[in-house]
Amino acid sequence: MRKLNEAIDRFCALHPNLAVPNLMRYVVCANAALFALSMFASYGALDFLALNPERVLHGEVWRVATYALLPNSSGLALLIQLLFYHWLGQTLERMWGSAKFTFYYVSGVLLTAAGCLLAYLVDGVSFSLWGSEYVNMAMFFAYALSFPDAMVRIYFLIPIKMKWLAALDALYFAAGVFRYAAIGYWGLALLPIVAVLNFFIFFAPDFHRKADEIIARGRPQAVQFRRAVREQQRQKGYNHKCSVCGRTDAEYPGLQFRYCSKCVGYHCFCEDHIFNHTHFTE
């Protein structure tokens, strides 16, 4: 995924004209306008904009994009949601640039559509998706990973760090995947994973770097410890010293020394004690 991430960076750098500056402003305004329209229209009047995989396969291809403009809540909840995701989007756009943020958002929209088509083909269940829940979730995860200690207030009241809010959202995300998998709807279980693939692709370098740090967490300390022991021995005029009898290679140049792999730490023994000593355990 790192190579794909690098390819996306090159593409965005070479095609800055494909960017849509202030993209989230247009998305939020469209959500608000369609919500206002729905208040004066009959129920289901906007269903022709929702993402319905069956209708897409019958030629109504505009649905793969227009569903993201539909509101999936109402009233005060919708207002808070729009303000929150507008703020997230504007922050990410300032951090990445308009081209990269546009690519991130549009790729999330298309991946969600691909996930819905996959779910329909695998499970054979017809459904309609309203709103950009998964697109917004990928955007939220991107912000939380970039600014984990940023503070927000849930409904302007409860302060919480973004990393903890993201952890709760991740649990909700995982619960949805396992719930559909448990009842045998594998397509619907894969839908959320496919929908947020852009998040995993964009942050692949961060995940690889963190994994390398975890894998190599003990190794640098062991190397530094061995180097420190050897440097201390050289300063005392020898390279090897038996941990049992105390003889060194400086005093007995013909004596052979070995290091025990079963002892805890970095302990040297002469040829008389390498197979005849009590192993160090601390």
Side-chain angles (χ1 to χ4, degrees):
M1 283 192 179
R2 278 189 293 187
K3 291 185 178 180
L4 183 57
N5 181 269
E6 292 171 358
I8 291 172
D9 285 337
R10 287 195 299 271
F11 178 84
C12 294
L14 293 173
H15 301 88
N17 294 330
L18 296 179
V20 181
N22 298 313
L23 174 61
M24 282 307 297
R25 182 179 301 173
Y26 299 118
V27 173
V28 165
C29 289
N31 272 258
L34 288 174
F35 171 72
L37 183 62
S38 67
M39 296 177 65
F40 300 98
S42 61
Y43 178 79
L46 300 179
D47 188 62
F48 73 99
L49 299 176
L51 179 56
N52 186 304
E54 185 178 9
R55 302 309 306 168
V56 170
L57 294 176
H58 281 81
E60 299 179 8
V61 294
W62 66 82
R63 293 174 179 267
V64 302
T66 55
Y67 78 93
L69 305 178
L70 291 171
N72 53 7
S73 57
S74 60
L76 180 61
L78 176 63
L79 176 62
I80 294 174
Q81 184 184 74
L82 294 181
L83 291 174
F84 181 65
Y85 287 111
H86 177 265
W87 170 62
L88 293 184
Q90 291 290 85
T91 305
L92 291 174
E93 184 175 353
R94 286 194 296 269
M95 181 177 69
W96 285 339
S98 296
K100 189 171 181 178
F101 177 73
T102 301
F103 192 99
Y104 188 77
Y105 194 89
V106 173
S107 65
V109 172
L110 297 179
L111 283 169
T112 301
C116 286
L117 289 172
L118 177 64
Y120 174 72
L121 294 175
V122 172
D123 298 330
V125 178
S126 181
F127 61 93
S128 292
L129 182 66
W130 286 57
S132 52
E133 177 184 358
Y134 294 121
V135 183
N136 291 338
M137 182 178 292
M139 191 166 59
F140 171 70
F141 284 149
Y143 185 95
L145 194 61
S146 302
F147 307 99
D149 293 320
M151 295 291 297
V152 293
R153 290 183 178 273
I154 302 177
Y155 290 102
F156 304 104
L157 296 174
I158 306 172
I160 187 172
K161 288 186 176 181
M162 289 295 289
K163 59 183 179 183
W164 303 124
L165 195 59
L168 293 174
D169 216 13
L171 289 175
Y172 169 76
F173 176 88
V177 172
F178 286 117
R179 183 173 65 251
Y180 283 118
I183 59 177
Y185 286 107
W186 297 103
L188 290 173
L190 288 173
L191 167 57
I193 299 173
V194 174
V196 298
L197 275 179
N198 58 336
F199 166 72
F200 295 107
I201 293 171
F202 269 63
F203 287 90
D206 298 84
F207 295 140
H208 280 286
R209 186 165 52 250
K210 189 64 176 177
D212 291 341
E213 290 176 0
I214 294 173
I215 293 172
R217 183 169 293 173
R219 293 178 184 174
Q221 295 178 356
V223 172
Q224 293 171 7
F225 174 71
R226 292 182 180 181
R227 287 178 179 174
V229 171
R230 287 176 178 174
E231 185 61 31
Q232 184 182 32
Q233 291 172 345
R234 289 192 185 98
Q235 291 176 0
K236 293 181 178 180
Y238 60 87
N239 292 319
H240 307 292
K241 180 180 180 180
C242 180
S243 298
V244 176
C245 64
R247 289 184 292 180
T248 67
D249 60 338
E251 297 172 336
Y252 300 88
L255 199 62
Q256 293 187 4
F257 294 85
R258 297 289 185 271
Y259 288 85
C260 180
S261 60
K262 295 182 179 180
C263 289
V264 176
Y266 192 62
H267 298 284
C268 178
F269 301 93
C270 67
E271 59 188 30
D272 296 330
H273 297 109
I274 184 62
F275 298 113
N276 183 25
H277 66 269
T278 302
H279 295 297
F280 287 85
T281 58
E282 294 182 358

